[in-house]
């Protein structure tokens, strides 16, 4: 399991992309997964109000938010600092890497369907707030 934070190199590349999560005072812990040779970084978030996430703390609506995933360069976009998550969340993901990856792959398929049929109400919701809009080519490549 690889948990990291993204560095300023990554954020500087996407300064104008408003759906990519960024906070000056706090880095997001990221779950990294490789699908078809594409490295995806999926952030841990709190107060998730949709179903497109792997929940790590249902009481507080915390989880790994698939809608805010981004493509990274594993060699240049990762901060070298050690990251920590709350024990309750760690316990929920320990040994579940394959499940999380599979759930994310299913979301990528759903996202591609949304791209192809944006007129469907649920698809509009997926497309409206997702950082995946900046990585459509990679979404399609991941689904092959």
């Amino acid at each position: 399991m690889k948990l990291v934070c993204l560095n300023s190199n990554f954020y500087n590349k996407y300064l104008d992309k408003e759906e990519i999560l960024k906070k000056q005072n706090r880095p997001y812990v990221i779950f990294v997964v490789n699908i078809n040779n594409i490295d995806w970084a999926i952030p841990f978030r709190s107060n998730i109000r949709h179903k497109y996430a792997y929940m790590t703390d249902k009481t507080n609506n915390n989880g790994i938010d698939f809608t805010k995933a981004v493509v990274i360069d594993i060699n240049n976009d990762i901060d070298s600092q050690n990251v920590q998550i709350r024990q309750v969340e760690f316990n929920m993901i320990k040994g579940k890497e394959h499940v999380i990856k599979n759930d994310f792959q299913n979301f990528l398929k759903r996202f591609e369907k949304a791209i192809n049929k944006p007129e469907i109400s649920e698809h509009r919701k997926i497309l409206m707030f997702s950082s995946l809009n900046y990585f459509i080519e990679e979404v399609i490549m991941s689904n092959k």
Side-chain angles (χ1 to χ4, degrees):
M1 174 175 15
K2 188 164 188 130
L3 300 178
V4 300
C5 289
L6 299 178
N7 63 23
S8 59
N9 179 56
F10 172 82
Y11 290 111
N12 288 336
K13 288 188 284 189
Y14 299 105
L15 284 175
D16 62 333
K17 307 299 187 205
E18 66 183 55
E19 292 305 326
I20 292 179
L21 299 176
K22 48 192 162 283
K23 287 187 179 179
Q24 297 290 352
N25 58 346
R26 167 177 95 67
Y28 287 90
V29 175
I30 303 290
F31 181 88
V32 177
V33 62
N34 183 286
I35 300 171
N36 289 345
N37 295 316
I38 298 170
D39 291 310
W40 292 94
I42 315 166
F44 283 77
R45 292 186 72 200
S46 54
N47 300 312
I48 297 172
R49 303 274 185 232
H50 57 76
K51 61 183 177 182
Y52 309 112
Y54 182 86
M55 299 310 289
T56 57
D57 179 355
K58 291 181 183 181
T59 303
N60 295 303
N61 294 320
N62 296 342
I64 301 171
D65 189 346
F66 300 147
T67 68
K68 298 300 182 180
V70 294
V71 172
I72 61 168
D73 176 339
I74 201 84
N75 296 313
N76 295 311
D77 293 338
I78 293 177
D79 194 323
S80 61
Q81 74 183 25
N82 290 331
V83 298
Q84 294 182 349
I85 59 174
R86 294 180 312 140
Q87 189 65 46
V88 66
E89 292 188 274
F90 180 80
N91 293 345
M92 287 297 293
I93 65 171
K94 185 178 177 185
K96 304 282 189 339
E97 297 89 349
H98 180 73
V99 172
I100 297 167
K101 180 178 179 177
N102 188 56
D103 288 355
F104 180 62
Q105 285 178 294
N106 288 334
F107 178 73
L108 290 174
K109 290 174 186 166
R110 183 179 295 237
F111 189 84
E112 187 172 0
K113 286 180 185 177
I115 293 167
N116 294 323
K117 292 190 177 185
E119 67 278 2
I120 297 172
S121 176
E122 182 179 351
H123 291 178
R124 278 195 304 274
K125 290 177 187 175
I126 292 171
L127 294 169
M128 189 177 302
F129 299 109
S130 180
S131 59
L132 294 177
N133 286 301
Y134 311 124
F135 305 101
I136 290 175
E137 183 178 321
E138 290 87 349
V139 168
I140 293 167
M141 289 171 45
S142 291
N143 286 332
K144 292 190 178 212

